[in-house]
Amino acid sequence: MTRKAVALLSGGLDSMLAARLMLDQGIEVEALNFYTGFCVEGHTQSIRRQDPDRPRRNNALWSAEQLGIPLHFIDIAEEYKNEVVLSPRHGYGKYLNPCLDCKVFMVRRALDWGLQRGFDFVITGEVIGQRPKSQLKKSMPVIARESGAEDRLVRPLCAKLLEPTLPERAGWIDRTLLRDFHGRNRTPQIELARQYGFRDFAQPAGGCCFLTDPNYARKLSDLWQARDRRDYSMDDILLLKVGRHIRPGPHFKLIIGREEGENHFLEGYRKSFIALRSVSHNGPLALVDGEPGAADLETAARIVARFGKGRDAERVSVEVQRHGQTGQLLQVAPLRSTEIPQDWYV
């Protein structure tokens, strides 16, 4: 009887290797990739100018293709928001990353998905000691227990350092062929990837989640503080990934495009926000989030002028649009860089 495993496939090297180790043992593997709204790849890659030598691709899909296994994309954004991001039982990591709760949640969802379809166990690419909160040895049993997976959760890359799981004890997989990787040194994974002939795989970096990024976490905290509530919409978290965020006052901030791709993206929100753009000189599009007064709009226009080609001009004409309709035209003197306090930058 062929045993079947559900793999959590992020697109990073570790999850790819974990799945391959199971395939080597004759396990039938299908992969899941969860969309939370905080994924780094995809959204940012499609907006910002990229290194021409860097491949533009979805790394989870690419990994599944290299492995020759089916990949299922599942949108969990709303559940993830309510059950993980806003009230993590185990708290946040260094920034706003609820990594331990995140892993519990995703393993639980993978287990439920698999059991409904006749799968026998779940595999992940976790490595003991590689992440400071969710991949500590003491965290491993917590994830297995709270997800409900218990001993049906297999971590092929570090399994030899953990208690034998049901698939190992039952003889579905051979424990001697699993690995004992640990710590943050990735040399063993790189070497294993070379043995398998994997090239050009995604580099891991904390990785695929904006909540581990200090700049993004600061912007999300600022959003919650400005609105006096811990909540967000999908548009909110997408806009936090884009542009310069400058808050001249507690009641409003500017989101200013930094390049052509970001300006194009922000264009899609012109009907939902007050929008500012220089019409006398080339410059960025800016959205105003909040409730600015007349004096605030003039300050905003002067900031927008500062980041355009007219930064050294005496006067710049800045158009103010409301609900996508052209409104007033402001003639402003661009602010000098020294006139924008550092604490305005979010």
Side-chain angles (χ1 to χ4, degrees):
M1 176 182 177
T2 300
R3 294 294 176 174
K4 301 168 67 177
V6 183
L8 291 177
L9 194 67
S10 66
L13 178 59
D14 291 350
S15 59
M16 188 179 181
L17 292 173
R20 178 57 190 268
L21 285 169
M22 293 296 92
L23 291 170
D24 284 354
Q25 296 206 33
I27 301 297
E28 181 180 333
V29 179
E30 293 192 22
L32 302 183
N33 183 265
F34 293 119
Y35 176 74
T36 66
F38 295 101
C39 308
V40 171
E41 71 170 34
H43 178 80
T44 302
Q45 287 183 355
S46 66
I47 293 174
R48 302 205 65 191
R49 183 183 301 113
Q50 297 295 304
D51 181 342
D53 296 326
R54 181 182 178 186
R56 294 171 65 89
R57 69 186 183 208
N58 181 290
N59 282 315
L61 184 58
W62 179 84
S63 297
E65 289 174 346
Q66 302 305 301
L67 295 165
I69 62 175
L71 174 63
H72 307 272
F73 291 99
I74 301 178
D75 185 341
I76 59 170
E78 195 61 29
E79 300 165 72
Y80 190 79
K81 166 186 172 179
N82 295 322
E83 296 184 33
V84 179
V85 179
L86 297 183
S87 54
R89 177 179 177 182
H90 295 283
Y92 299 110
K94 187 175 182 180
Y95 302 110
L96 284 178
N97 46 309
C99 293
L100 187 50
D101 291 81
C102 175
K103 186 64 70 170
V104 168
F105 180 83
M106 290 189 176
V107 171
R108 182 189 308 127
R109 284 297 305 267
L111 177 70
D112 292 345
W113 186 95
L115 291 178
Q116 291 171 17
R117 293 163 176 82
F119 285 75
D120 299 295
F121 60 101
V122 177
I123 60 175
T124 72
E126 293 166 282
V127 171
I128 290 175
Q130 190 171 108
R131 299 279 183 256
K133 191 172 180 70
S134 64
Q135 293 189 34
L136 298 175
K137 189 167 185 177
K138 66 180 181 181
S139 302
M140 299 293 187
V142 174
I143 296 168
R145 181 178 65 252
E146 295 190 5
S147 68
E150 301 290 353
D151 60 358
R152 289 181 182 265
L153 175 57
V154 178
R155 287 103 164 185
L157 297 184
C158 62
K160 287 183 176 179
L161 301 176
L162 300 169
E163 291 297 317
T165 57
L166 172 62
E168 296 165 78
R169 298 195 310 271
W172 302 347
I173 57 177
D174 184 345
R175 181 177 175 86
T176 65
L177 299 178
L178 303 179
R179 302 303 169 115
D180 59 357
F181 298 165
H182 62 279
R184 306 189 73 171
N185 178 13
R186 298 187 56 77
T187 302
Q189 288 95 310
I190 302 292
E191 180 56 34
L192 183 57
R194 288 178 178 149
Q195 292 175 24
Y196 282 134
F198 294 150
R199 299 287 186 270
D200 195 29
F201 43 80
Q203 293 303 316
C208 48
C209 179
F210 268 108
L211 292 171
T212 65
D213 181 271
N215 296 320
Y216 189 91
R218 186 171 61 251
K219 291 173 185 174
L220 182 55
S221 294
D222 170 78
L223 179 77
W224 286 345
Q225 182 176 357
R227 296 183 181 176
D228 197 27
R229 67 181 188 278
R230 289 167 55 85
D231 196 4
Y232 60 80
S233 68
M234 187 57 62
D235 285 334
D236 287 331
I237 61 176
L238 291 178
L239 286 168
L240 291 179
K241 302 176 184 180
V242 178
R244 294 182 180 87
H245 288 238
I246 298 178
R247 185 175 291 283
H251 53 292
F252 80 105
K253 76 170 179 180
L254 296 171
I255 305 171
I256 305 173
R258 293 170 292 186
E259 59 179 37
E260 184 179 7
E262 290 192 338
N263 287 332
H264 285 316
F265 180 78
L266 295 176
E267 286 280 352
Y269 289 91
R270 283 189 301 112
K271 293 184 179 180
S272 302
F273 293 85
I274 297 173
L276 302 178
R277 192 166 211 163
S278 167
V279 293
S280 59
H281 302 77
N282 288 334
L285 175 66
L287 304 179
V288 183
D289 182 15
E291 300 180 1
D296 298 325
L297 278 180
E298 180 162 347
T299 298
R302 295 185 69 194
I303 294 171
V304 172
R306 164 76 188 93
F307 289 102
K309 297 293 186 181
R311 64 175 61 88
D312 297 320
E314 288 188 13
R315 289 281 167 178
V316 172
S317 299
V318 177
E319 181 181 83
V320 181
Q321 293 185 351
R322 296 176 185 269
H323 308 295
Q325 301 298 314
T326 300
Q328 64 197 113
L329 194 64
L330 299 176
Q331 304 293 330
V332 298
L335 285 180
R336 295 187 295 274
S337 60
T338 55
E339 294 180 294
I340 303 178
Q342 196 60 39
D343 61 6
W344 283 11
Y345 289 89
V346 180

